[in-house]
Amino acid sequence: MHFGSGVPTVGVDALTDKDFLLDVREDDEWQAGHAAGALHIPMSDFVARIGELTEAAPQDARVNVICRSGGRSAQVTMYLAQQGIDAVNVDGGMQAWEAAGRPVVDDGGRPGTVA
């Protein structure tokens, strides 16, 4: 899924373990499986909880925003850019993450699935 030139994107293959990842999927999706080390703030709560992001994100790091397929994360990426935050949408979301063989874990750290 591509969102035109207005939304900066990055491919899963360009991300490293050191990159900051923000997962904006809903709680049930997160619990089924997510990237280890990602910060979880559901899109439905995002504006009210943006302080959690500004506290957790490294000062000079780009925020890589991910959801299931890229739609919700594109919206959050656009919002963050309007706030002056360096953010990019992860192209293809967690579906692309899983397809690339990247680890997906559940809340207990066991292998998870993308819901």
Side-chain angles (χ1 to χ4, degrees):
M1 189 176 285
H2 297 279
F3 290 88
S5 61
V7 180
T9 62
V10 64
V12 168
D13 57 336
L15 297 174
T16 71
D17 292 342
K18 294 180 180 170
D19 288 318
F20 185 82
L21 191 62
L22 170 66
D23 190 322
V24 297
R25 296 175 302 144
E26 295 303 316
D27 289 337
D28 60 327
E29 295 172 288
W30 169 264
Q31 291 164 359
H34 55 270
L39 173 65
H40 178 231
I41 305 175
M43 182 177 160
S44 59
D45 297 338
F46 193 76
V47 174
R49 294 176 55 189
I50 193 169
E52 293 176 40
L53 171 65
T54 56
E55 287 180 19
Q59 286 290 63
D60 298 326
R62 179 180 71 191
V63 176
N64 300 283
V65 188
I66 197 166
C67 67
R68 184 172 188 266
S69 62
R72 290 171 285 179
S73 54
Q75 293 175 53
V76 172
T77 298
M78 288 187 293
Y79 174 78
L80 290 173
Q82 291 169 350
Q83 307 308 309
I85 296 172
D86 182 15
V88 295
N89 184 33
V90 178
D91 192 33
M94 284 300 296
Q95 290 176 325
W97 181 274
E98 185 177 49
R102 296 287 187 102
V104 177
V105 298
D106 68 11
D107 278 345
R110 297 174 299 271
T113 60
V114 175

